[in-house]
């Protein structure tokens, strides 16, 4: 059974775990600030072009967005249960739950990719490029879809990173039979995934649900 090594600059494992969690929370806060700035930009432009943003939201595939929300939420539940199982030294079930979260990341990216492909076929590209914008010449349209591609694309990169991270943890836990002592390292991956999930809930509302004029 794997036992984490105590680093030289820590007196005990409790302080080492606390430092790891503290560092992770600082990183997550910086990510939140990045997306918060983009949220402010979105709502600033939405205030200028309420009609276009409302129609743009209606143009997106709400069913796919909602399905992706369910997938990420199920992934969050699975990774939280995986951490709990590791704390009980139930390695096998933890591996299965981590693998399920990794599959959730893959499923999300496949669905998101299919949605991007549909937009490209319609002639919708970032920066107002494509024949769609010849038929929709109001100035808000290029802004809406540029924000859409930028924000959901940045989020998709985070999902991909989370999938690689949790896939690596699945392999690590399976090979090293990580038990309760190493569970805090998997907890770092779980925190990252919860952040990815939280950000998507906001994006889902902004780009798939808020179809009213405002």
């Amino acid at each position: 059974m794997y036992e984490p090594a105590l680093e030289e600059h820590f007196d005990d494992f409790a302080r080492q775990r606390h430092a790891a969690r503290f560092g992770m929370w600082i990183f997550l806060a910086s990510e939140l600030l990045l997306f918060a700035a983009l949220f402010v930009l979105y709502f600033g432009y939405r205030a200028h072009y309420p009609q276009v943003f409302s129609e743009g939201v209606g143009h997106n595939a709400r069913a796919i967005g909602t399905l992706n929300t369910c997938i990420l939420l199920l992934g969050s539940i699975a990774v939280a249960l995986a951490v709990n199982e590791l704390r009980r030294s139930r390695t096998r079930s933890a591996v299965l739950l981590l693998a399920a979260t990794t599959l959730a990341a893959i499923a999300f990216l496949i669905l998101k990719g299919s949605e991007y492909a549909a937009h490209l076929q319609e002639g919708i590209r970032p920066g107002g490029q494509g024949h769609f914008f010849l038929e929709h010449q109001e100035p808000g349209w290029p802004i809406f879809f540029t924000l859409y591609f930028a924000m959901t694309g940045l989020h998709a990169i985070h999902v991909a990173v989370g999938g690689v991270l949790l896939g690596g943890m699945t392999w690590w836990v399976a090979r090293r039979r990580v038990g309760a002592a190493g569970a805090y390292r998997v907890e770092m991956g779980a925190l990252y995934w919860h952040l990815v999930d939280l950000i998507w809930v906001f994006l889902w509302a902004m780009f798939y649900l808020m179809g009213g004029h405002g």
Side-chain angles (χ1 to χ4, degrees):
M1 184 70 73
Y2 167 81
E3 291 290 340
L6 180 63
E7 303 293 339
E8 291 182 4
H9 44 284
F10 292 112
D11 295 331
D12 51 49
F13 284 113
R15 292 188 180 184
Q16 184 168 304
R17 287 193 294 270
H18 176 74
R21 291 190 182 101
F22 184 67
M24 191 63 189
W25 279 111
I26 290 177
F27 169 72
L28 296 180
S30 69
E31 291 290 295
L32 275 178
L33 286 175
L34 170 63
F35 276 94
L38 292 172
F39 292 160
V40 170
L41 192 62
Y42 171 94
F43 283 107
Y45 277 118
R46 187 178 177 108
H48 281 284
Y49 305 106
Q51 180 70 32
V52 169
F53 272 58
S54 174
E55 293 178 14
V57 168
H59 194 84
N60 284 334
R62 181 176 294 181
I64 293 179
T66 302
L67 181 57
N68 264 340
T69 305
C70 295
I71 288 171
L72 290 186
L73 288 173
L74 288 173
S76 268
I77 294 171
V79 76
L81 290 174
V83 173
N84 189 54
E85 290 297 279
L86 272 182
R87 286 174 177 158
R88 298 181 178 186
S89 296
R90 296 175 177 171
T91 302
R92 186 175 179 181
S93 55
V95 167
L96 292 174
L97 289 163
L98 285 171
T101 309
T102 304
L103 289 175
I106 294 170
F108 177 93
L109 291 173
I110 290 173
L111 285 172
K112 197 67 207 153
S114 71
E115 197 179 356
Y116 285 153
H119 285 314
L120 294 176
Q121 285 181 349
E122 290 182 84
I124 300 173
R125 295 179 176 81
Q129 302 297 315
H131 59 77
F132 175 88
F133 298 101
L134 297 177
E135 301 165 0
H136 301 78
Q137 297 190 356
E138 296 92 332
W141 282 106
I143 294 171
F144 174 81
F145 277 108
T146 297
L147 284 172
Y148 165 77
F149 278 111
M151 296 172 74
T152 60
L154 182 60
H155 177 267
I157 291 172
H158 281 71
V159 173
V161 171
V164 172
L165 178 67
L166 291 168
M169 285 184 171
T170 304
W171 178 85
W172 177 62
V173 172
R175 291 269 302 186
R176 303 291 298 275
R177 299 185 65 237
V178 178
Y184 79 94
R185 292 191 171 180
V186 177
E187 182 185 339
M188 301 302 105
L191 286 173
Y192 177 84
W193 187 260
H194 294 327
L195 174 76
V196 168
D197 200 348
L198 175 66
I199 291 170
W200 176 255
V201 169
F202 283 98
L203 294 177
W204 175 50
M206 291 159 61
F207 288 108
Y208 296 93
L209 300 181
M210 296 172 60
H213 304 320

